[in-house]
Amino acid sequence: MTNVAILGFGVVGGGVARLITENMKEVTRLGGDGINIKYILDLRDFPNSPFADRVVHDFDIIASDPEIDTVIEVMGGSHPAYEYTVKALRAGKNVITSNKEVVANFGDEFMAIAEEMGVCYRFEASVGGGIPVLSPIINCVGQNKITEVRGILNGTTNYILTKMFSFGDGFEESLRDAQERGYAERNPDADILGTDACRKIAILGALVTGKLVPTENIHTEGITGIRKQDVEASARVGLKIKLLGRCIIGESGVFIMVAPFMLPDSTPLSTVSGVYNAVEVVGEPIGNVMFYGQGAGAGATASAVVGDLMQIMRSGRNCAQPIMVKSLDGVCDFDDFKAQQYIALGGVGAEQVREVFGNVQIISEGEEIAFITQAMREGDVKKKLGALGAELKSRIRLI
Ligand code: HSE
């Protein structure tokens, strides 16, 4: 029997306990052993839960119990998740997490400790919820020359954008709807400002480059500035707006970012709608591979967490641990990123725009002018906008 402890009995913790219990036959067959949830750590008691007798409030009970093989950290946030993870690894226990914040901030340190202690640190559920994506990237595509990993990494913002495109609703209205449906948090900042997607692209980027770029060094924009007019303009030229995390590996180095992008209606990522997530990997010789599915929710996230547990049980702790170091080495300045840009300006006409931006495609002209530029460096676009001195209404890059 493999004894595990679950840290945090919220939505994901409850989903993990339920999956292990209800699918005991499947997990026993796949893992080669039964699983016993020996402890559940939470600040609260759950007197009416079938797991009420496993609830403890002191992490040291778990860390000091030699019977505990694996600790499942699904509490979220950086602290005390960081301290508990270090303590569990140092106590010789495998650790599994769904907590992207702690992986993005401290994943390099955890993996080094895991390596040293001969245990596993796994985090499949931290990106893309139930979508198996990290493990395939580590185990199945690493032999390719990866040129980009990009994705729709946040379900809430994808739901909001889908609503704006499908029903012509505004941002505020669509956010309220996402909150009413329970997708967006009461405080939705981490989703709509791009923070959640930033943590996830940091993790994906680390797997393909070996460098965990600190999140504060990742250019991050959310979707709060996207207006009905931008949605209409992009639809007019056959483009959709998606919040993307992108890690591009080129000759000159690595560009890593989160921002809304306009992409052609025909591309696979543009067809991903609602709360769904998708991750696309581009490499040589494999070409384009896309992973798609539910990026959040108790069942989907629990599936990824328990999948990690199955792999640990089957591998007998011989985990193929990815190596990553926190580094900015080879990471390019965002000002050097080159892309076509959609720009909407007030107070200028086509003639002035052409004088400064050269050959542009005008989408609409009236109270404001909306146009698409040729591919240009970020730094140059900023300079040109400064020179024009017009009122900037919106600016979205194309892919
Ligand atoms: N708030 C996140 C989302 C949950 O909307 O995708 C999963 O990280």
Side-chain angles (χ1 to χ4, degrees), residues 353-393:
V353 164
R354 286 205 170 96
E355 254 169 45
V356 174
F357 281 94
N359 188 15
V360 296
Q361 177 191 358
I362 308 274
I363 304 176
S364 63
E365 209 179 341
E367 254 175 53
E368 63 180 53
I369 182 165
F371 57 94
I372 294 176
T373 69
Q374 302 293 308
M376 286 180 184
R377 275 181 72 252
E378 269 300 311
D380 293 339
V381 174
K382 281 190 220 157
K383 271 191 212 142
K384 286 178 194 295
L385 285 171
L388 204 51
E391 187 194 352
L392 179 64
K393 305 266 189 186

Side-chain angles (χ1 to χ4, degrees), residues 100 153-156 191 196 200 295-296:
K100 51 245 153 204
L153 305 173
N154 182 270
T156 304
D191 293 317
D196 176 71
K200 293 169 179 169

